[in-house]
Amino acid sequence: MTSGNGLCLVPDHRAESTVATVTGTLTPANCGALRDGVLKVATDAPTSVIADIRGLDIGDATLLAVFAVIAVRIDAWPAIPFAVVTDRPDHVAQLARQAADRFVPVHADVPAAERARERPPRRRALQLLAASPEASAVARAFVGRVCEQWQVPEYADDVRLVATELVENTIRHTTSNPRLRLELRRDTFIISVADDDPHEAVLLERPSEHGLGLRLVARTTHAWGCSRSWGGGKVVWAVVPRRARYRHGTG
């Protein structure tokens, strides 16, 4: 639970979704806090996120565009369904006026949002790593086994590269044991590494002498970023698209 600046956000982890109930008054001063709070909830949500804003008063209708921003961000990562719940006619009209409902579905209650959500097929694999010099080798072996099991060898080289850099970055700059997560959804492979250090990962100017450098990660991936997690710490994530030569059957 977090509160302040006239807002209160409480996450509820349900079987079908994680519901972020938001109450208070939305103002220019706390709009960013609302965005960051929902995104933090999304880092720990395994299936979908629903923002329940029935108890939220809107000081300025234009601020509702924040939900479109949240939707776009969650669509990039963690790439799970996101919806807004409200049965207030003023909310519904204002969301339509700001075109936010073009980016995020709006439902009258939580059960309706859960029933309507898209369930894209996906696979997930987790590996807890020790904070040791052998961690990157263990991560690469894990990636190899998972890609073989999922029968997607076309991703293996890029995913190994990204996983190596993210794991080594965690070991160099934190005291945490890296938590490596691999996910496959349609034609997108998502790599994320969680740790207990809240400091944001930064893009280095040059590859480090130990690793491949986050700039190489940026060139290899479709998107990458760093997100704070609700329980503390952060998650560094990257999205790897399928290589063109495999999509066209030439690999």
Side-chain angles (χ1 to χ4, degrees):
M1 174 177 178
T2 186
S3 60
N5 297 321
L7 281 181
C8 181
L9 190 155
V10 180
D12 176 23
H13 300 285
R14 297 160 54 93
E16 290 293 317
S17 63
T18 296
V19 179
T21 300
V22 186
T23 56
T25 301
L26 184 62
T27 68
N30 59 31
C31 189
L34 170 62
R35 177 199 63 219
D36 294 345
V38 175
L39 291 176
K40 285 182 182 180
V41 170
T43 65
D44 298 324
T47 54
S48 68
V49 177
I50 297 170
D52 186 343
I53 65 169
R54 287 174 287 187
L56 181 66
D57 294 323
I58 312 298
D60 180 348
T62 63
L63 298 176
L64 284 172
V66 69
F67 291 106
V69 174
I70 294 170
V72 170
R73 172 64 177 74
I74 289 178
D75 185 62
W77 187 86
I80 56 179
F82 173 61
V84 167
V85 160
T86 183
D87 56 2
R88 290 173 49 171
D90 59 327
H91 283 173
V92 174
Q94 290 168 345
L95 285 164
R97 193 174 301 121
Q98 300 303 318
D101 59 350
R102 296 182 184 180
F103 296 88
V104 55
V106 180
H107 301 280
D109 55 43
V110 171
E114 290 178 335
R115 289 193 300 270
R117 73 174 187 169
E118 181 187 6
R119 292 174 170 82
R122 68 177 183 175
R123 295 176 175 177
R124 173 182 291 180
L126 304 172
Q127 178 71 57
L128 177 63
L129 302 167
S132 71
E134 292 77 31
S136 57
V138 174
R140 287 192 293 272
F142 174 64
V143 169
R145 291 195 303 272
V146 169
C147 287
E148 181 178 3
Q149 179 182 353
W150 291 350
Q151 299 182 340
V152 287
E154 62 270 27
Y155 288 104
D157 289 343
D158 288 344
V159 174
R160 282 193 191 97
L161 183 156
V162 173
T164 297
E165 175 56 31
L166 298 188
V167 167
E168 290 187 352
N169 203 55
T170 297
I171 292 174
R172 287 196 302 273
H173 300 294
T174 79
T175 58
S176 301
N177 293 321
R179 301 184 293 277
L180 173 62
R181 184 169 77 183
L182 307 178
E183 296 185 65
L184 180 65
R185 298 182 187 140
R186 296 193 181 99
D187 288 338
T188 301
F189 209 116
I190 302 171
I191 308 102
S192 61
V193 175
D195 63 58
D196 300 322
D197 191 313
H199 294 94
E200 185 174 358
V202 296
L203 194 64
L204 300 177
E205 288 298 323
R206 292 189 294 269
S208 70
E209 61 181 4
H210 302 290
L212 296 167
L214 287 178
R215 285 202 176 276
L216 188 52
V217 170
R219 289 198 296 268
T220 303
T221 61
H222 172 70
W224 81 277
C226 178
S227 301
R228 297 285 183 89
S229 60
W230 185 260
K234 65 179 178 294
V235 180
V236 184
W237 54 271
V239 179
V240 174
R242 182 173 296 192
R243 291 190 179 188
R245 67 174 182 268
Y246 288 101
R247 285 201 300 268
H248 297 300
T250 59

